[in-house]
Amino acid sequence: MKATTTIILVASLTFASTDAFVQPTTTRHSCPAWYTSLSAEPLESGSTVVVCTGPTCSKTGGKRILPIMKELAAGIGVNVETISCVSECAECGLGPNVEVRKKGDDGPFYPIKNKIKTEDDVKTVLGIN
C-alpha cells in the first residue's frame, strides 16, 4: 500500500509541475486571449468578411460598423456579408463579432474577430494601415 501511495504522489507532483495544466491567459469574459486578437494581415481581393448583426452584436456596435466595413472593404475588393449570429451565440458577449473568410479558405470554421467597434478595428481586420 505504501509503494502505491508513493507512486501516485510522485506522479501527481510531476503532472502538476508541467505546462499541460496551465490555463491560457483570459480576458475579462473568461475566454482565452487569442479569441479577441485582431489580425493585421491584409486580406486579398475576393476575401469575405461577415459582420454579425444579431441582437447582442447589434447592441454593442455591429450595425454601427457595418457601413464603415462596407466602405473600406469595397476599396480593396473584399466582400461584406451579414448574418444574425456568426458564432451560434458562443461569442455573443465578446461582440460585435466579424468572421474572416480569406480567399482560398475552405472552412467550415473561419476565424472570428471580437470587439470590432471602431473604424480602426475595421481597418485592422481588413489589414488596412
Side-chain angles (χ1 to χ4, degrees):
M1 177 74 175
K2 186 175 181 180
T4 304
T5 305
T6 304
I7 291 171
I8 291 172
L9 178 60
V10 170
S12 296
L13 292 173
T14 302
F15 288 124
S17 66
T18 66
D19 290 336
F21 296 100
V22 175
Q23 293 294 322
T25 305
T26 58
T27 65
R28 68 185 182 124
H29 295 289
S30 299
C31 291
W34 51 264
Y35 272 73
T36 59
S37 66
L38 299 177
S39 172
E41 189 176 311
L43 292 177
E44 290 182 56
S45 178
S47 297
T48 301
V49 291
V50 182
V51 178
C52 183
T53 56
T56 304
C57 285
S58 289
K59 226 189 281 187
T60 58
K63 285 189 177 179
R64 191 171 47 251
I65 64 158
L66 185 57
I68 299 168
M69 183 72 76
K70 286 181 177 180
E71 180 182 337
L72 295 175
I76 59 171
V78 172
N79 304 310
V80 177
E81 297 176 3
T82 61
I83 193 167
S84 64
C85 194
V86 295
S87 67
E88 296 183 17
C89 301
E91 298 181 43
C92 287
L94 301 173
N97 300 313
V98 175
E99 184 178 80
V100 179
R101 299 178 183 174
K102 292 182 181 178
K103 182 179 178 181
D105 282 357
D106 292 337
F109 303 106
Y110 300 96
I112 296 174
K113 305 300 179 182
N114 309 120
K115 298 183 182 177
I116 310 303
K117 296 183 178 196
T118 67
E119 184 173 339
D120 286 339
D121 293 342
V122 170
K123 287 179 178 178
T124 302
V125 168
L126 297 172
I128 300 171
N129 293 326

